[in-house]
Amino acid sequence: MAKDLRHFLETYEQDHPEDVVTIEKPISLKHEIGILVDKLDKERKFPLLRIKNAILCNGKPSEYEVIMNEIGSRGKLAYAMGSNWEMVSQDWRRLALENKQDPVVISREEAPVKKEILKGDDVDLHRYPAYQPYLMLSHPYISLAPMITYHPEAGIDNMGIHRGEIQSKNRIAFLFSPDNHNSMNFWKSEQELHQNMKCAVVAGLHPNVLMASQTKMGYPESHFEACGGLLGEPLRLVPSETLGDDFMVPADAEIVFEGEIKAMKRTAEGPYSEYTRHIGAQRWCPYMEVSCITQRQDPIWSNYAIGRNHAFQGLAREFRVYDIVKRVVPQVTRVYLLPHAGGSDGLGFCFIQIKKTAEGQARTAIHSALTSNYSVKHVIVVDDDVDIYDERQVFWAVATRAQPDKDWIIQTDVMSSIVDPSIDNHWGSKAGIDATRPAPPEPFLVPTMFPEEDMKRIKLNDYVPQDQLEKIPDAFRKVDVEE
Amino acid sequence: MKVAWITCPKCHERFYVELLMLKETHPLTGTKPFCRCPFCLAEFKAKDAERVEE
């Protein structure tokens, strides 16, 4: 059995039933689903949601099951690729880039996604349980379905996730940020070759295929091969129905939308709920006209908890930042993009841990990290006695090991995320904080500490029983304020 | 981000758009300035808006 979304759902539920919530009670995909995810987010919980009776944004019952949060935590991504919480970004890099596998092509008869084929008037995007989670959004959005395009000259595949606004029964508007490879393929098609761009939007994929779609590859370089690396087996492909036999799509997807992005055409897209947790402005965007839909029997649809997701996009950038900074400053030991500071993108803060041996290393790491990716906006470098996965420890280091007039670095007029609400015209500024102690042998105060033997000997549960410990309120949560 | 708040002439709801959509022809495609109300889906030009606040 090929690794597909259903395989992941089945095995994850078997191994982690505590992290799966099945909802039978009807819930609307317009606003109600957003509120549910937001309330879970406030509890700092991102369980896999299996919604059996979703109500479409137009008020009709959904024909299909809806899931959310299958990539909603660092732990689930680690599970999907057989890694662990700390190593998941490094393993992502290793598997996607160093363990690539060529895809295999199977026949249409064997491909699960060819069970139902819809063309012409049977194409109706309003059937699908796309969501509209916040106010001021005009249409339902496709949020977690990678778009496949091919380099117009080299013929190499590319996959990338773009939000898609379903504007009619066969039209989807997409936002392309300028540096992504689907955008570059569209530029070549439209501006150099003066033709429409063939594309397929693929919904319902194994988390590892989603991760492969978010792996920053060279241009042009195959994402299908990265899928095989992350899955640990070749990605199964099948020829499209309307885009030609050389246009391949994943055979084990739940749904494939085939069509073309129209050259020299733009439509008004948005406002949209960006990952920054702000409503982004309406803007001109290209759009796809869908010519064919192929799908499984009773396909499963996934919506992405945009801005509430705990890990996905930031984690994709984490290993890239690590690779670049480590190359420049080998003393760097860990990199962590704080997932909730800038929505899900790591836009807010990048933490770097370093075992400093000479002055200047932390500052060099700051500059390297800030220029490693347009969306890395703030960097904090700490010593190796600070746990960078615990922001309380990181901000303790900022408070006690940095002086703002000497240790803060500002970069101005650099490329930034196009959805950062605080920028003008795609240009912005960035900042770094060197929160490290002086390099040895320069003396510095030591942190409070305990005798090592006593630390091992004293067990918390000997004094505070586990059942009582679990009932003690979290001191950092507001418990006396009603919602 | 430079945006303008628009009041829809049809349903009178407020929303915002990138300034380019209201003021300039799209530099690559020649698309004329317009916007679409996310509440009632009416399409209109800036001069037809009930109110524009930059």
Side-chain angles (χ1 to χ4, degrees):
Chain A
M1 179 184 174
K3 279 188 187 168
D4 57 15
L5 176 61
R6 291 169 193 235
H7 176 263
F8 172 79
L9 295 175
E10 187 181 323
T11 55
Y12 191 73
E13 193 157 2
Q14 275 172 10
D15 293 343
H16 293 283
E18 75 286 354
D19 196 35
V20 180
V21 177
T22 301
I23 298 173
E24 300 286 350
K25 185 177 179 177
I27 184 165
S28 173
L29 296 167
K30 187 170 184 176
H31 305 157
E32 287 183 5
I33 190 72
I35 293 167
L36 175 68
V37 171
D38 184 62
K39 286 180 182 284
L40 283 165
D41 176 278
K42 289 190 169 79
E43 298 285 334
R44 295 165 65 111
K45 295 181 193 300
F46 303 85
L48 169 60
L49 300 176
R50 302 197 65 164
I51 300 164
K52 302 292 186 180
N53 295 294
I55 308 295
L56 301 178
C57 295
N58 61 16
K60 295 178 182 170
S62 171
E63 298 171 65
Y64 309 128
E65 178 182 347
V66 176
I67 61 167
M68 290 188 76
N69 283 346
E70 76 273 27
I71 52 167
S73 65
R74 196 174 174 103
K76 281 193 266 299
L77 294 171
Y79 175 89
M81 71 169 85
S83 182
N84 60 51
W85 204 92
E86 185 165 332
M87 289 303 296
V88 59
S89 74
Q90 288 303 307
D91 284 338
W92 183 334
R93 181 193 61 76
R94 180 177 57 78
L95 294 170
L97 302 181
E98 296 173 13
N99 287 38
K100 291 178 185 175
Q101 292 195 35
D102 289 335
V104 294
V105 177
I106 64 172
S107 68
R108 289 184 168 91
E109 291 71 31
E110 291 175 279
V113 78
K114 300 288 189 182
K115 181 74 179 172
E116 195 176 358
I117 297 172
L118 304 162
K119 293 179 183 173
D121 284 347
D122 290 334
V123 169
D124 184 3
L125 298 169
H126 298 316
R127 283 177 67 190
Y128 297 92
Y131 74 163
Q132 200 172 330
Y134 304 100
L135 284 171
M136 217 200 281
L137 275 59
S138 54
H139 295 98
Y141 268 84
I142 296 174
S143 53
L144 195 57
M147 176 186 287
I148 295 172
T149 66
Y150 282 79
H151 188 283
E153 288 154 347
I156 295 173
D157 67 275
N158 184 67
M159 291 174 87
I161 297 175
H162 315 278
R163 89 280 189 102
E165 182 183 26
I166 297 177
Q167 296 192 331
S168 72
K169 62 184 291 191
N170 67 345
R171 179 192 280 195
I172 312 170
F174 290 100
L175 174 68
F176 286 153
S177 59
D179 72 322
N180 74 65
H181 296 168
N182 280 341
S183 172
M184 291 159 72
N185 284 347
F186 182 55
W187 177 273
K188 270 194 171 296
S189 299
E190 180 186 62
Q191 297 298 321
E192 295 176 16
L193 303 172
H194 310 294
Q195 61 190 29
N196 298 337
M197 179 175 71
K198 293 177 182 177
C199 67
V201 174
V202 186
L205 292 164
H206 189 284
N208 288 359
V209 178
L210 295 174
M211 292 159 90
S213 77
Q214 292 300 284
T215 304
K216 200 71 176 173
M217 317 289 289
Y219 179 71
E221 192 176 3
S222 172
H223 284 249
F224 291 159
E225 295 170 7
C227 290
L230 281 156
L231 286 168
E233 63 187 36
L235 181 70
R236 301 201 313 166
L237 297 174
V238 64
S240 69
E241 293 300 306
T242 57
L243 305 176
D245 280 351
D246 54 349
F247 194 112
M248 296 288 167
V249 296
D252 295 298
E254 296 288 318
I255 307 166
V256 174
F257 302 106
E258 299 180 7
E260 287 186 334
I261 304 266
K262 295 296 176 186
M264 303 303 284
K265 299 280 187 185
R266 297 293 186 272
T267 186
E269 187 268 351
Y272 182 62
S273 48
E274 313 285 4
Y275 65 75
T276 62
R277 298 194 182 197
H278 287 74
I279 300 294
Q282 187 172 94
R283 59 182 96 202
W284 277 323
C285 286
Y287 60 87
M288 169 189 185
E289 283 185 2
V290 178
S291 55
C292 175
I293 302 172
T294 72
Q295 63 185 38
R296 291 182 180 228
Q297 186 170 1
D298 299 323
I300 298 170
W301 181 271
S302 177
N303 285 318
Y304 180 52
I306 184 81
R308 265 66 184 170
N309 188 281
H310 184 53
F312 183 54
Q313 289 170 306
L315 200 53
R317 287 173 172 79
E318 194 174 295
F319 74 72
R320 292 190 66 216
V321 178
Y322 177 87
D323 278 356
I324 290 167
V325 178
K326 181 82 174 173
R327 221 171 283 155
V328 180
V329 185
Q331 291 77 15
V332 165
T333 48
R334 285 182 178 82
V335 168
Y336 179 50
L337 294 189
L338 194 63
H340 43 270
S344 51
D345 201 29
L347 177 70
F349 286 91
C350 169
F351 297 160
I352 296 176
Q353 189 191 60
I354 188 171
K355 193 172 179 61
K356 203 164 89 174
T357 57
E359 290 308 331
Q361 290 166 345
R363 285 172 163 261
T364 304
I366 287 171
H367 285 294
S368 299
L370 289 176
T371 52
S372 66
N373 189 287
Y374 65 86
S375 71
V376 174
K377 187 174 173 185
H378 301 99
V379 173
I380 299 175
V381 184
V382 296
D383 296 299
D384 63 337
D385 65 333
V386 175
D387 179 359
I388 59 168
Y389 305 114
D390 181 351
E391 62 255 37
R392 290 179 304 174
Q393 289 198 33
V394 172
F395 288 112
W396 164 78
V398 171
T400 59
R401 296 180 180 180
Q403 283 295 308
D405 66 334
K406 297 184 182 68
D407 297 317
W408 290 48
I409 294 168
I410 305 289
Q411 292 182 347
T412 57
D413 298 328
V414 290
M415 187 179 164
S416 301
S417 167
I418 62 168
V419 296
D420 181 345
S422 63
I423 63 163
D424 284 339
N425 295 329
H426 307 175
W427 294 87
S429 60
K430 300 183 174 208
I433 301 174
D434 175 1
T436 59
R437 295 168 293 193
E442 190 74 19
F444 194 75
L445 306 189
V446 296
T448 51
M449 51 190 173
F450 304 102
E452 201 170 319
E453 283 183 11
D454 290 350
M455 272 293 281
K456 286 180 184 162
R457 184 176 52 79
I458 299 288
K459 307 290 185 200
L460 182 57
N461 285 160
D462 290 346
Y463 300 89
V464 185
Q466 185 63 27
D467 58 342
Q468 189 178 0
L469 184 65
E470 286 169 7
K471 291 175 188 165
I472 297 172
D474 179 344
F476 291 94
R477 286 197 57 198
K478 291 186 291 188
V479 290
D480 57 347
V481 180
E482 287 189 19
E483 282 188 23
Chain B
M1 192 171 289
K2 288 178 181 167
V3 300
W5 277 93
I6 304 287
T7 305
C8 174
K10 191 173 167 193
C11 71
H12 315 296
E13 292 280 1
R14 291 173 78 235
F15 64 102
Y16 46 77
V17 304
E18 275 193 334
L19 275 182
L20 181 71
M21 292 191 71
L22 287 179
K23 291 191 166 180
E24 296 169 36
T25 298
H26 191 284
L28 294 176
T29 64
T31 307
K32 298 293 181 194
F34 79 103
C35 59
R36 182 187 298 122
C37 173
F39 298 97
C40 69
L41 305 183
E43 285 189 12
F44 55 93
K45 296 172 184 169
K47 67 180 177 59
D48 298 323
E50 186 175 304
R51 190 179 163 94
V52 179
E53 302 155 76
E54 291 181 23

